[in-house]
Amino acid sequence: MPATRVTVALNAKQSQKAPLLIPASTSLSSIQEVVFKTAKTKLRLKKPTRIFVGGSGQELLSEEDWARHVCDDITLLVSAGEEFVGVRKEGKQHVDSNAECPVYILAQKAPVDELSVTQVETTAHTLPGIIHAVGQPDLHPGTKFPIGAVFVSRKWVHPPLIGSDIGCGMAWYHTKLSRSQVDGDKGKKIAEKLRGLEGSWRKQADREQWLLDRAGSCSAGEQWDSALGTIGAGNHFAEIQVVESSSIPPGSEVELKQDEVILLVHSGSRGYGSILKKYTSGSHISLEEGSQQMQEYMEEHDKACRWAKANRNLIAVRFLSCLEPGEEAWELGRNTPQTGFCDADAISYAKSKIAERQVVDILHNNVQRVKWPPAPPPPSAASMPALEVGLSNVALEPGETAVVEHVYIHRKGAAPTYDPGTNLPLALLPLPGSRATPTIILKPQFTVASSWGLKNALSLAHGAGRSMSRAKALSSLSQKYRNQNLLEPGSGTGTWVICDEKDLVFEEAPDAYKDVYAVSDDLVREGVAEVVGWCQTRVSYKVRNEAR
Ligand SMILES: Nc1nc2c(ncn2[C@@H]2O[C@H](COP(=O)(O)O)[C@@H](O)[C@H]2O)c(=O)[nH]1
Ligand SMILES: [Mn+2]
């Protein structure tokens, strides 16, 4: 038997490869060793642990797998433990995939992991219908698909690119607190007041009332609605922040004033979004426009996004019931042992009052149907205040009309810059760093430099993005901070943290995230955002074990 000629490549960076001739005398049990040795010596992969077949993504685990799959000219992708990067192909490339799809990585200052860039590229070049892909400066690797990425597609929707926390996002609310009530040690008192925020809110009839909006009901049934008004695990949080600096002109339609105390809520659709896992695994990876499945998915997706927005508003009401006692509108935020049903008027009143307090609410995990390409506002808009300037797909040059179509913008950890419902740019967006680093106030920009938002796919970074995986943060930071209390403000950080889950304290430590200023600098350099201020967190609420 002649030797077998294969290519060994890095799973995380598939352009790095080396040829390998596997001698015919090599037994099946030792081929793996030979491949690992090539990855170590030729490709400098320190700890190879898994091998996949390029294209199919088949993992080679047993001698039988090797016997069945290894043949001349195949590529073996070696991984340091991460999942296969790429879309598993059963046969040929999908007829609608686009090997030439442009990919923009908007990061220079912010560090990006090679694996995440490979994930953006392989997704853009293999999934059907993708016409434009962007890695924002907060880009980091996900299990299969990247986070901090945007994919624009024509005629296809890909649920896995959004993930299961559909509708996750961030909302800011004004409060009536003053900075002297939250600065320094006062933050501890405020943290103590945040009680009764875990567990179900009231009865199902009240939840259903809360979940009624202009489009009808977005109730998901008692099983999922019982989580309404709760933040949830992971890196979801609600924070009391102070606006340390703001250059937003006084009287602007959307305003954050210097020294103001605000509430930032980060949560999503809780368990409800996860029911859509049926669309994110197996053969449902891509749904074609017009199909029954895509229609069903989009209906459920839109409902989950409305549920998530209602959830953030209710979380805010529950927080304000602790922070602004005596304020009638927030009374129903409290769960008392006798809590009965509220009347519908009380719920409508609280909903209208919290809407008045809302500064902005954005979704960073969703798919949005928008007109494409974005085009400059009409010349008459030059003198309009920024918020009234729509992006209008009008003449590019006098007499020339853009060919307008609709596309799907998939965001997994990316903030929108524009509201397709109103055709208007969003006025402000939060760019949170971590619980102890600033949250930057961004104003999206639409200029020639970004082809009116085309380059950044009408999106911005949604945070600083992880610089360390959860597992790495847990192992290294629990060592680094072994004898320190991370829940109290260290020198200069000023954040009181409520987090009764020990591992989460380390997984979410500020060191696990990139430098948020590197991220905002990249956005400014690309001409897609302006920095108009920043906030600092005083109290960060993640999870409280009420039984303690
Ligand atoms: N202000 C805070 N920001 C935080 C915290 N934990 C994470 N973050 C930042 O938010 C985004 C959220 O990411 P997502 O992918 O989970 O939606 C993340 O990139 C961080 O930069 C926190 O406790 N407080
Ligand atoms: Mn999120």
Side-chain angles (χ1 to χ4, degrees):
M1 266 257 292
T4 311
R5 191 181 58 237
V6 302
T7 301
V8 178
L10 293 183
N11 178 50
K13 195 176 185 210
Q14 295 172 14
S15 57
Q16 268 191 32
K17 45 191 162 190
L20 172 66
L21 262 186
I22 304 172
S25 57
T26 315
S27 67
L28 283 176
S29 59
S30 45
I31 300 184
Q32 177 176 297
E33 249 169 65
V34 175
V35 174
F36 280 165
K37 196 170 162 205
T38 307
K40 277 187 187 169
T41 53
K42 303 257 173 65
L43 307 175
R44 299 219 184 94
L45 184 66
K46 280 194 196 132
K47 289 185 188 159
T49 54
R50 302 170 74 181
I51 300 173
F52 303 98
V53 177
S56 71
Q58 168 75 45
E59 185 164 5
L60 300 177
L61 297 165
S62 62
E63 287 185 20
E64 262 177 30
D65 291 340
W66 284 95
R68 199 172 315 133
H69 295 280
V70 178
C71 56
D72 271 340
D73 298 328
I74 62 161
T75 298
L76 297 172
L77 300 174
V78 187
S79 136
E82 79 279 355
E83 287 301 323
F84 167 66
V85 175
V87 178
R88 290 190 159 89
K89 283 177 248 143
E90 263 134 41
K92 287 184 286 170
Q93 279 284 84
H94 194 286
V95 63
D96 279 352
S97 67
N98 176 7
E100 304 299 316
C101 172
V103 172
Y104 294 90
I105 305 294
L106 307 182
Q108 268 183 29
K109 238 180 167 181
V112 288
D113 189 295
E114 277 173 4
L115 173 59
S116 58
V117 176
T118 307
Q119 286 182 331
V120 178
E121 288 170 349
T122 51
T123 305
H125 296 148
T126 50
L127 284 189
I130 310 280
I131 57 167
H132 190 91
V134 180
Q136 297 285 346
D138 58 340
L139 181 70
H140 55 283
T143 317
K144 279 189 193 158
F145 298 104
I147 300 163
V150 193
F151 296 95
V152 182
S153 71
R154 194 182 275 147
K155 296 194 167 57
W156 288 88
V157 165
H158 308 284
L161 297 187
I162 299 145
S164 56
D165 193 6
I166 297 173
C168 188
M170 303 225 179
W172 256 328
Y173 302 86
H174 299 289
T175 77
K176 286 190 174 166
L177 299 180
S178 63
R179 82 174 288 159
S180 63
Q181 288 177 282
V182 302
D183 273 351
D185 283 350
K186 299 276 183 54
K188 188 176 186 181
K189 268 191 166 173
I190 295 288
E192 272 308 310
K193 288 188 182 177
L194 298 174
R195 303 255 161 204
L197 299 164
E198 305 291 342
S200 295
W201 176 73
R202 305 184 77 94
K203 305 251 163 59
Q204 179 62 6
D206 292 337
R207 296 178 209 129
E208 283 173 8
Q209 195 66 34
W210 191 269
L211 291 166
L212 269 180
D213 60 22
R214 273 193 222 136
S217 169
C218 59
S219 164
E222 184 153 12
Q223 186 189 359
W224 308 113
D225 292 353
S226 60
L228 191 70
T230 59
I231 295 172
N235 52 351
H236 295 140
F237 58 82
E239 287 185 348
I240 294 153
Q241 305 187 324
V242 173
V243 180
E244 301 289 355
S245 161
S246 167
S247 59
I248 302 163
S252 298
E253 200 171 328
V254 183
E255 198 181 352
L256 285 174
K257 293 194 179 86
Q258 186 159 326
D259 294 331
E260 194 186 336
V261 176
I262 53 177
L263 175 65
L264 176 64
V265 177
H266 172 214
S267 189
S269 53
R270 308 287 279 109
Y272 179 24
S274 68
I275 61 170
L276 297 187
K277 273 199 181 124
K278 64 178 184 236
Y279 293 99
T280 60
S281 56
S283 56
H284 293 106
I285 202 166
S286 303
L287 307 177
E288 194 166 8
E289 196 175 54
S291 67
Q292 169 100 16
Q293 269 195 336
M294 166 160 162
Q295 195 178 328
E296 279 169 17
Y297 173 77
M298 289 305 285
E299 278 168 18
E300 287 276 16
H301 162 282
D302 292 353
K303 225 171 114 180
C305 290
R306 285 160 55 211
W307 197 104
K309 279 176 171 276
N311 188 39
R312 287 189 283 277
N313 279 347
L314 185 56
I315 291 169
V317 168
R318 292 181 92 180
F319 269 71
L320 291 175
S321 74
C322 302
L323 299 170
E324 298 179 1
E327 191 78 41
E328 193 195 341
W330 319 140
E331 279 302 305
L332 56 73
R334 296 189 160 277
N335 269 353
T336 61
Q338 300 78 30
T339 305
F341 295 109
C342 315
D343 67 80
D345 287 347
I347 291 184
S348 299
Y349 182 59
K351 285 205 277 192
S352 69
K353 285 292 165 189
I354 202 64
E356 283 171 18
R357 293 289 187 93
Q358 194 183 89
V359 181
V360 66
D361 182 323
I362 54 113
L363 302 166
H364 55 225
N365 290 353
N366 70 333
V367 56
Q368 205 176 39
R369 187 169 180 268
V370 301
K371 269 200 226 165
W372 193 262
S380 59
S383 57
M384 287 182 187
L387 244 187
E388 286 164 31
V389 178
L391 286 170
S392 62
N393 294 98
V394 290
L396 298 169
E397 297 290 336
E400 187 191 2
T401 306
V403 180
V404 180
E405 60 171 340
H406 280 93
V407 295
Y408 298 94
I409 300 189
H410 301 70
R411 298 188 177 95
K412 173 71 187 286
T417 56
Y418 140 96
D419 177 354
T422 58
N423 211 26
L424 293 174
L426 296 180
L428 302 175
L429 297 175
L431 182 74
S434 72
R435 65 190 181 217
T437 50
T439 293
I440 292 172
I441 310 172
L442 294 178
K443 179 175 164 60
Q445 297 292 300
F446 300 86
T447 60
V448 178
S450 71
S451 305
W452 308 101
L454 181 142
K455 188 171 169 189
N456 54 319
L458 294 169
S459 309
L460 295 177
H462 79 313
R466 296 197 80 90
S467 57
M468 261 182 222
S469 69
R470 282 179 178 279
K472 185 161 180 221
L474 180 59
S475 62
S476 65
L477 302 179
S478 59
Q479 282 301 310
K480 180 174 173 188
Y481 296 115
R482 205 173 358 178
N483 299 317
Q484 286 181 46
N485 180 1
L486 295 189
L487 304 182
E488 295 194 353
S491 55
T493 61
T495 308
W496 296 89
V497 181
I498 299 150
C499 183
D500 287 343
E501 266 180 39
K502 207 167 157 241
D503 288 358
L504 202 55
V505 176
F506 301 109
E507 287 168 1
E508 288 302 314
D511 318 37
Y513 286 96
K514 303 185 198 182
D515 172 7
V516 71
Y517 285 111
V519 172
S520 64
D521 283 357
D522 279 339
L523 296 173
V524 171
R525 191 203 55 254
E526 293 289 342
V528 295
E530 207 183 283
V531 172
V532 293
W534 63 281
C535 313
Q536 186 72 39
T537 302
R538 294 294 185 274
V539 179
S540 180
Y541 186 107
K542 293 216 186 275
V543 58
R544 194 191 280 288
N545 178 355
E546 299 276 17
R548 275 157 54 116

